[in-house]
Coordinates of all heavy atoms in Angstrom, one line a residue:
N1 N 2.9 11.6 4.7 CA 3.8 10.5 5.1 C 4.8 11.3 6.1 O 5.4 12.2 5.7 CB 4.5 9.9 3.8 CG 5.1 8.6 4.2 OD1 4.9 8.0 5.4 ND2 5.6 8.0 3.2
P2 N 5.1 11.0 7.3 CA 4.6 9.8 8.0 C 3.1 10.0 8.4 O 2.5 11.0 8.4 CB 5.4 9.7 9.3 CG 5.9 11.2 9.4 CD 6.0 11.7 8.1
F3 N 2.4 8.9 8.8 CA 1.1 8.9 9.2 C 0.9 8.1 10.5 O 1.6 7.3 10.9 CB 0.1 8.5 8.1 CG 0.1 7.0 7.9 CD1 -0.9 6.1 8.4 CD2 1.0 6.3 7.0 CE1 -0.9 4.8 8.2 CE2 1.0 4.9 6.8 CZ 0.0 4.2 7.3
A4 N -0.2 8.4 11.2 CA -0.5 7.8 12.5 C -1.7 6.9 12.4 O -1.8 5.8 12.9 CB -0.7 8.8 13.5
D5 N -2.8 7.4 11.8 CA -4.1 6.5 11.6 C -4.3 6.0 10.3 O -4.8 4.8 10.1 CB -5.2 7.4 12.1 CG -5.1 7.8 13.6 OD1 -4.6 7.1 14.4 OD2 -5.4 9.0 13.9
Q6 N -4.2 6.9 9.3 CA -4.5 6.4 7.9 C -3.8 7.4 7.0 O -3.5 8.5 7.2 CB -6.0 6.3 7.6 CG -6.6 7.7 7.5 CD -8.2 7.5 7.3 OE1 -8.8 6.5 7.4 NE2 -8.8 8.6 6.7
T7 N -3.6 6.8 5.7 CA -3.0 7.6 4.6 C -3.7 7.3 3.3 O -4.2 6.2 3.2 CB -1.4 7.4 4.6 OG1 -1.0 8.4 3.6 CG2 -1.1 6.0 4.1
R8 N -3.5 8.1 2.3 CA -4.2 7.9 1.0 C -3.0 7.7 0.0 O -2.0 8.5 0.0 CB -5.0 9.1 0.6 CG -6.2 9.3 1.4 CD -7.0 10.4 1.0 NE -8.1 10.8 1.9 CZ -9.2 10.3 1.9 NH1 -9.5 9.3 1.2 NH2 -10.1 10.7 2.9
L9 N -3.0 6.6 -0.8 CA -2.2 6.5 -1.8 C -2.9 6.9 -3.2 O -3.9 6.3 -3.4 CB -1.8 5.0 -2.0 CG -1.0 4.5 -0.7 CD1 -0.7 3.0 -0.9 CD2 0.2 5.3 -0.4
M10 N -2.2 7.7 -3.9 CA -2.8 8.2 -5.2 C -2.1 7.7 -6.3 O -1.0 7.6 -6.3 CB -3.0 9.7 -5.3 CG -3.6 10.4 -4.1 SD -5.3 10.2 -3.9 CE -5.8 11.3 -5.2
F11 N -2.8 7.1 -7.4 CA -2.2 6.5 -8.5 C -2.6 7.3 -9.7 O -3.7 7.9 -9.9 CB -2.6 5.0 -8.7 CG -2.3 4.2 -7.5 CD1 -3.3 4.0 -6.4 CD2 -1.0 3.6 -7.4 CE1 -2.8 3.2 -5.3 CE2 -0.7 2.9 -6.3 CZ -1.6 2.7 -5.3
D12 N -1.6 7.2 -10.8 CA -1.8 7.9 -11.9 C -2.8 7.2 -12.9 O -3.3 7.8 -13.9 CB -0.5 8.1 -12.8 CG 0.5 9.0 -12.1 OD1 0.1 9.8 -11.4 OD2 1.7 8.8 -12.3
H13 N -3.0 6.0 -12.7 CA -4.0 5.3 -13.5 C -5.0 4.6 -12.5 O -4.9 4.5 -11.3 CB -3.2 4.2 -14.1 CG -2.7 3.0 -13.3 ND1 -1.7 3.1 -12.5 CD2 -3.3 1.7 -13.2 CE1 -1.5 2.0 -11.8 NE2 -2.5 1.2 -12.2
M14 N -6.0 4.1 -13.2 CA -7.2 3.4 -12.5 C -6.5 2.0 -12.1 O -6.1 1.3 -12.9 CB -8.3 3.3 -13.3 CG -9.5 2.6 -12.6 SD -10.2 3.6 -11.2 CE -11.4 4.7 -12.1
V15 N -6.5 1.8 -10.7 CA -6.1 0.5 -10.3 C -7.1 -0.5 -10.6 O -8.2 -0.4 -10.1 CB -5.9 0.5 -8.7 CG1 -5.4 -0.9 -8.3 CG2 -4.7 1.6 -8.5
C16 N -6.8 -1.6 -11.5 CA -7.8 -2.6 -11.9 C -7.9 -3.7 -10.8 O -7.1 -3.9 -10.0 CB -7.3 -3.2 -13.1 SG -7.0 -2.0 -14.5
P17 N -9.1 -4.2 -10.9 CA -9.5 -5.3 -9.9 C -8.4 -6.4 -9.9 O -8.3 -7.2 -8.9 CB -10.8 -5.8 -10.4 CG -11.4 -4.6 -11.1 CD -10.3 -4.0 -11.8
D18 N -7.6 -6.6 -11.1 CA -6.6 -7.8 -11.2 C -5.3 -7.3 -10.5 O -4.5 -8.2 -10.6 CB -6.6 -8.4 -12.5 CG -6.0 -7.4 -13.4 OD1 -6.2 -6.1 -13.2 OD2 -5.4 -7.8 -14.4
E19 N -5.2 -6.1 -10.1 CA -4.0 -5.6 -9.5 C -3.9 -5.8 -8.0 O -5.1 -5.6 -7.4 CB -3.7 -4.1 -9.9 CG -3.5 -4.1 -11.4 CD -3.4 -2.5 -11.8 OE1 -3.7 -1.6 -11.0 OE2 -3.0 -2.3 -13.0
T20 N -2.8 -6.0 -7.3 CA -2.7 -6.2 -5.9 C -1.8 -5.2 -5.3 O -0.8 -4.9 -5.9 CB -2.2 -7.7 -5.7 OG1 -3.1 -8.5 -6.4 CG2 -2.1 -8.0 -4.2
L21 N -2.2 -4.8 -4.2 CA -1.4 -3.9 -3.4 C -0.9 -4.6 -2.1 O -1.6 -5.0 -1.3 CB -2.1 -2.6 -2.9 CG -1.2 -1.7 -2.2 CD1 -0.2 -0.8 -3.0 CD2 -2.2 -0.5 -1.5
D22 N 0.4 -4.8 -2.0 CA 0.9 -5.5 -0.8 C 1.8 -4.4 0.0 O 2.5 -3.7 -0.5 CB 1.9 -6.6 -1.2 CG 1.3 -7.9 -1.9 OD1 0.1 -8.2 -1.4 OD2 1.9 -8.4 -2.7
L23 N 1.4 -4.5 1.3 CA 2.3 -3.7 2.4 C 3.3 -4.7 2.9 O 2.9 -5.6 3.6 CB 1.3 -3.1 3.3 CG 1.9 -2.1 4.2 CD1 2.4 -0.8 3.5 CD2 0.9 -1.5 5.2
V24 N 4.6 -4.4 2.9 CA 5.6 -5.2 3.4 C 6.4 -4.4 4.3 O 6.8 -3.2 4.2 CB 6.5 -5.6 2.1 CG1 7.6 -6.5 2.5 CG2 5.6 -6.3 1.1
D25 N 6.8 -5.1 5.6 CA 7.6 -4.5 6.5 C 9.1 -4.7 6.0 O 9.4 -5.3 5.1 CB 7.3 -5.0 7.9 CG 7.7 -6.4 8.1 OD1 8.4 -7.0 7.3 OD2 7.2 -7.1 9.1
L26 N 9.9 -4.1 6.9 CA 11.4 -4.1 6.6 C 12.0 -5.5 6.8 O 13.1 -5.7 6.2 CB 12.2 -3.2 7.5 CG 11.9 -1.7 7.2 CD1 12.8 -0.8 8.0 CD2 12.3 -1.4 5.8
N27 N 11.3 -6.4 7.2 CA 11.8 -7.8 7.3 C 11.4 -8.6 6.2 O 11.6 -9.9 6.1 CB 11.4 -8.5 8.6 CG 12.0 -7.9 9.8 OD1 13.1 -7.6 9.8 ND2 11.2 -7.6 11.0
G28 N 10.6 -8.0 5.2 CA 10.1 -8.6 4.0 C 8.9 -9.4 4.1 O 8.5 -10.1 3.2
R29 N 8.2 -9.1 5.2 CA 7.0 -9.9 5.5 C 5.7 -9.1 4.9 O 5.7 -7.8 5.2 CB 6.7 -10.2 7.1 CG 7.6 -11.1 7.6 CD 7.4 -11.2 9.1 NE 7.5 -9.9 9.7 CZ 7.9 -9.6 11.0 NH1 8.3 -10.7 11.7 NH2 8.3 -8.4 11.5
T30 N 4.9 -9.7 4.2 CA 3.7 -9.0 3.7 C 2.8 -9.0 4.9 O 2.3 -9.9 5.4 CB 3.1 -9.9 2.6 OG1 4.0 -9.8 1.5 CG2 1.8 -9.1 2.1
V31 N 2.4 -7.7 5.4 CA 1.6 -7.5 6.5 C 0.1 -7.2 6.1 O -0.8 -7.2 7.0 CB 2.2 -6.5 7.5 CG1 3.5 -7.0 8.1 CG2 2.3 -5.1 6.8
R32 N -0.1 -6.8 5.0 CA -1.4 -6.6 4.4 C -1.5 -6.7 2.9 O -0.5 -6.1 2.2 CB -1.9 -5.1 4.8 CG -3.2 -4.8 4.6 CD -3.9 -3.6 5.4 NE -3.7 -3.9 6.8 CZ -3.7 -3.1 7.7 NH1 -3.6 -1.8 7.3 NH2 -3.5 -3.3 9.0
T33 N -2.6 -7.2 2.4 CA -2.8 -7.4 1.0 C -4.2 -6.7 0.6 O -5.1 -7.2 1.3 CB -2.6 -8.8 0.6 OG1 -1.2 -9.2 0.9 CG2 -2.9 -9.0 -1.0
L34 N -4.3 -6.0 -0.4 CA -5.5 -5.4 -0.9 C -5.7 -5.8 -2.3 O -4.7 -5.7 -3.2 CB -5.5 -3.9 -0.8 CG -5.3 -3.3 0.6 CD1 -5.2 -1.8 0.5 CD2 -6.5 -3.7 1.5
R35 N -6.8 -6.4 -2.6 CA -7.2 -6.9 -4.0 C -8.6 -6.4 -4.4 O -9.3 -6.0 -3.5 CB -7.1 -8.5 -4.1 CG -5.8 -9.1 -3.9 CD -5.9 -10.6 -4.2 NE -4.7 -11.1 -3.9 CZ -4.2 -11.8 -2.8 NH1 -5.1 -11.8 -1.8 NH2 -3.0 -12.3 -2.6
G36 N -8.8 -6.5 -5.7 CA -10.1 -6.2 -6.0 C -10.5 -4.7 -6.1 O -11.7 -4.4 -6.0
M37 N -9.5 -3.8 -6.2 CA -9.7 -2.5 -6.2 C -10.1 -2.0 -7.6 O -9.7 -2.5 -8.5 CB -8.5 -1.7 -5.6 CG -8.0 -2.1 -4.3 SD -6.4 -1.4 -3.9 CE -5.4 -2.5 -4.8
N38 N -10.8 -0.9 -7.6 CA -11.2 -0.3 -9.0 C -11.3 1.2 -8.7 O -12.3 1.9 -8.7 CB -12.5 -0.8 -9.4 CG -12.7 -0.5 -10.8 OD1 -11.7 -0.1 -11.6 ND2 -14.0 -0.4 -11.2
T39 N -10.0 1.8 -8.5 CA -10.0 3.2 -8.0 C -8.6 3.8 -8.3 O -7.7 3.1 -8.7 CB -10.2 3.3 -6.4 OG1 -10.2 4.6 -6.0 CG2 -9.1 2.5 -5.7
R40 N -8.5 5.1 -8.2 CA -7.3 5.8 -8.4 C -6.7 6.1 -7.1 O -5.5 6.7 -6.8 CB -7.5 7.1 -9.2 CG -7.7 6.9 -10.6 CD -7.8 8.3 -11.3 NE -8.3 8.0 -12.6 CZ -7.4 8.0 -13.7 NH1 -6.2 8.0 -13.5 NH2 -7.9 7.9 -14.9
E41 N -7.5 5.9 -5.9 CA -7.1 6.3 -4.6 C -7.3 5.1 -3.7 O -8.4 4.6 -3.6 CB -7.8 7.5 -4.1 CG -7.6 8.1 -2.8 CD -8.5 9.3 -2.4 OE1 -8.2 10.2 -2.9 OE2 -9.4 9.0 -1.6
V42 N -6.3 4.8 -2.8 CA -6.4 3.8 -1.8 C -6.2 4.3 -0.5 O -5.2 5.0 -0.3 CB -5.5 2.5 -2.1 CG1 -5.5 1.6 -1.0 CG2 -5.8 1.9 -3.4
V43 N -7.2 4.1 0.5 CA -6.9 4.5 1.9 C -6.4 3.3 2.6 O -7.1 2.3 2.7 CB -8.2 5.0 2.4 CG1 -8.0 5.5 4.0 CG2 -8.7 6.3 1.7
L44 N -5.2 3.6 3.2 CA -4.6 2.5 4.1 C -4.8 3.0 5.5 O -4.4 4.0 5.9 CB -3.1 2.4 3.8 CG -2.7 1.6 2.7 CD1 -1.1 1.6 2.5 CD2 -3.2 0.2 2.7
S45 N -5.4 2.1 6.4 CA -5.5 2.3 7.8 C -4.4 1.5 8.5 O -4.0 0.5 8.1 CB -6.9 1.9 8.2 OG -7.0 1.9 9.5
R46 N -4.0 2.2 9.6 CA -2.9 1.7 10.4 C -3.4 0.3 11.0 O -2.6 -0.7 11.0 CB -2.5 2.5 11.4 CG -1.4 2.0 12.4 CD -0.9 3.0 13.5 NE 0.2 2.4 14.1 CZ 0.9 3.2 14.9 NH1 0.7 4.4 15.1 NH2 1.9 2.5 15.5
E47 N -4.5 0.2 11.5 CA -5.2 -1.0 12.0 C -4.3 -1.9 12.7 O -4.0 -3.1 12.3 CB -5.9 -1.8 10.9 CG -7.3 -0.9 10.5 CD -8.0 -1.8 9.6 OE1 -8.0 -2.9 9.5 OE2 -8.8 -1.1 8.9
G48 N -3.6 -1.6 13.8 CA -2.7 -2.5 14.5 C -1.3 -2.7 14.0 O -0.5 -3.4 14.7
L49 N -0.9 -1.9 13.0 CA 0.4 -2.1 12.6 C 1.3 -1.4 13.5 O 1.0 -0.2 13.9 CB 0.6 -1.6 11.1 CG -0.2 -2.3 10.0 CD1 -0.1 -1.7 8.8 CD2 0.4 -3.8 9.9
P50 N 2.5 -1.9 13.8 CA 3.5 -1.2 14.7 C 4.1 -0.1 13.9 O 4.1 0.0 12.8 CB 4.4 -2.3 15.0 CG 4.3 -3.3 14.1 CD 3.0 -3.3 13.5
S51 N 4.6 0.9 14.7 CA 5.4 2.0 14.0 C 6.5 1.5 13.2 O 7.2 0.4 13.6 CB 5.9 3.0 15.1 OG 4.9 3.5 15.8
G52 N 6.9 2.2 12.2 CA 8.1 1.7 11.4 C 8.0 2.0 9.9 O 7.1 2.7 9.4
L53 N 9.0 1.5 9.1 CA 9.0 1.8 7.8 C 8.4 0.6 7.1 O 8.8 -0.6 7.3 CB 10.4 2.1 7.3 CG 10.6 2.3 5.8 CD1 10.0 3.6 5.4 CD2 12.2 2.4 5.5
Y54 N 7.5 0.9 5.9 CA 6.9 -0.1 5.2 C 7.2 0.2 3.7 O 7.3 1.5 3.3 CB 5.5 -0.2 5.5 CG 5.2 -0.7 6.9 CD1 5.1 0.2 7.9 CD2 4.9 -2.1 7.2 CE1 4.9 -0.2 9.3 CE2 4.6 -2.4 8.5 CZ 4.6 -1.5 9.5 OH 4.5 -1.9 10.8
V55 N 6.8 -0.7 2.8 CA 6.9 -0.5 1.4 C 5.6 -1.0 0.9 O 5.2 -2.2 1.1 CB 8.1 -1.1 0.7 CG1 8.1 -0.8 -0.9 CG2 9.5 -0.6 1.2
A56 N 4.9 -0.2 0.0 CA 3.7 -0.6 -0.6 C 4.0 -0.9 -2.0 O 4.6 -0.2 -2.8 CB 2.6 0.4 -0.6
F57 N 3.7 -2.2 -2.5 CA 4.1 -2.7 -3.8 C 2.7 -2.8 -4.6 O 1.9 -3.7 -4.1 CB 4.8 -4.0 -3.8 CG 6.2 -3.9 -3.3 CD1 6.5 -4.3 -2.0 CD2 7.2 -3.5 -4.0 CE1 7.7 -4.2 -1.5 CE2 8.5 -3.4 -3.5 CZ 8.8 -3.8 -2.2
L58 N 2.5 -2.2 -5.7 CA 1.5 -2.4 -6.6 C 1.9 -3.3 -7.7 O 2.8 -3.0 -8.4 CB 0.8 -1.1 -7.0 CG -0.4 -1.3 -8.0 CD1 -1.6 -1.9 -7.1 CD2 -0.7 0.1 -8.5
H59 N 1.2 -4.3 -7.9 CA 1.6 -5.4 -9.0 C 0.4 -6.1 -9.6 O -0.6 -6.0 -9.0 CB 2.7 -6.3 -8.5 CG 2.1 -7.2 -7.3 ND1 1.6 -8.3 -7.5 CD2 2.2 -7.0 -6.0 CE1 1.2 -8.9 -6.4 NE2 1.6 -8.0 -5.4
S60 N 0.7 -6.5 -10.8 CA -0.4 -7.4 -11.5 C 0.3 -8.7 -11.8 O 1.4 -8.9 -11.5 CB -0.8 -6.6 -12.7 OG 0.2 -6.6 -13.7
T61 N -0.5 -9.5 -12.5 CA 0.1 -10.8 -12.9 C 1.2 -10.6 -14.0 O 2.0 -11.5 -14.1 CB -1.0 -11.7 -13.5 OG1 -1.8 -10.9 -14.6 CG2 -2.1 -12.1 -12.5
A62 N 1.3 -9.5 -14.5 CA 2.2 -9.2 -15.6 C 3.5 -8.7 -14.9 O 4.6 -8.7 -15.6 CB 1.7 -8.1 -16.6
G63 N 3.5 -8.3 -13.7 CA 4.7 -7.9 -13.0 C 4.5 -6.6 -12.2 O 3.3 -6.1 -12.0
P64 N 5.6 -6.0 -11.6 CA 5.4 -4.9 -10.8 C 5.0 -3.7 -11.6 O 5.2 -3.5 -12.8 CB 6.8 -4.7 -10.3 CG 7.8 -5.4 -11.2 CD 6.9 -6.4 -11.9
I65 N 4.3 -2.7 -10.9 CA 3.7 -1.5 -11.5 C 4.4 -0.3 -10.8 O 5.0 0.5 -11.5 CB 2.2 -1.4 -11.3 CG1 1.6 -2.6 -12.1 CG2 1.7 0.0 -11.8 CD1 0.1 -2.8 -11.9
T66 N 4.4 -0.3 -9.5 CA 5.0 0.9 -8.7 C 5.2 0.4 -7.3 O 4.6 -0.5 -6.9 CB 4.2 2.2 -8.9 OG1 4.9 3.3 -8.4 CG2 2.8 2.1 -8.1
N67 N 5.9 1.3 -6.6 CA 6.1 1.1 -5.2 C 6.3 2.3 -4.5 O 6.8 3.3 -5.0 CB 7.2 0.0 -4.8 CG 8.5 0.5 -5.2 OD1 9.1 1.5 -4.6 ND2 9.1 -0.1 -6.1
T68 N 6.1 2.5 -3.2 CA 6.3 3.6 -2.5 C 6.6 3.3 -1.0 O 6.1 2.3 -0.5 CB 5.1 4.6 -2.5 OG1 5.5 5.9 -1.9 CG2 3.9 4.1 -1.8
R69 N 7.4 4.1 -0.3 CA 7.7 3.9 1.1 C 6.7 4.7 1.9 O 6.3 5.7 1.7 CB 9.2 4.4 1.5 CG 10.2 3.4 0.9 CD 11.5 4.0 1.1 NE 11.6 5.3 0.2 CZ 12.7 6.0 0.1 NH1 13.7 5.8 0.8 NH2 12.6 7.1 -0.7
L70 N 6.3 4.0 3.1 CA 5.4 4.6 4.1 C 6.0 4.6 5.5 O 6.6 3.6 5.8 CB 4.0 3.9 4.0 CG 3.4 3.7 2.8 CD1 2.2 2.7 2.9 CD2 2.7 5.1 2.5
I71 N 5.8 5.6 6.2 CA 6.3 5.7 7.6 C 5.1 5.7 8.5 O 4.3 6.6 8.3 CB 7.3 6.8 7.9 CG1 8.5 6.6 6.9 CG2 7.7 6.9 9.4 CD1 9.3 7.9 6.9
I72 N 5.0 4.7 9.4 CA 3.9 4.8 10.5 C 4.5 5.3 11.8 O 5.5 4.7 12.3 CB 3.4 3.4 10.6 CG1 2.7 3.0 9.3 CG2 2.3 3.4 11.7 CD1 1.9 1.6 9.3
E73 N 4.0 6.3 12.4 CA 4.5 6.8 13.6 C 3.8 6.2 14.8 O 2.7 5.7 14.7 CB 4.1 8.4 13.7 CG 4.9 9.2 12.8 CD 4.5 10.7 13.0 OE1 3.5 11.0 13.2 OE2 5.5 11.5 12.9

C-alpha cells in the first residue's frame, strides 16, 4: 500500500462465502463488492478506479468483521 495495479489483502481467518468485501471511496460510495470468496487472500485489481483513498470493509450478515485503508496511486 499504496498500489498502482493490484494488491493482496490477507486475512487471519478463512473468508467464508457468506462474507462480503466492500470497497468504499471517501464519498461513502461502494465502488466494488466481492462475494462468494472462500480464501484467506483476496487480490484487488485497480480496474478503472481513480487514484485516491479507499476503505475495504469485510462483513457478514452478523455484522462487521474488519476494515483496512487502501491508497491507489
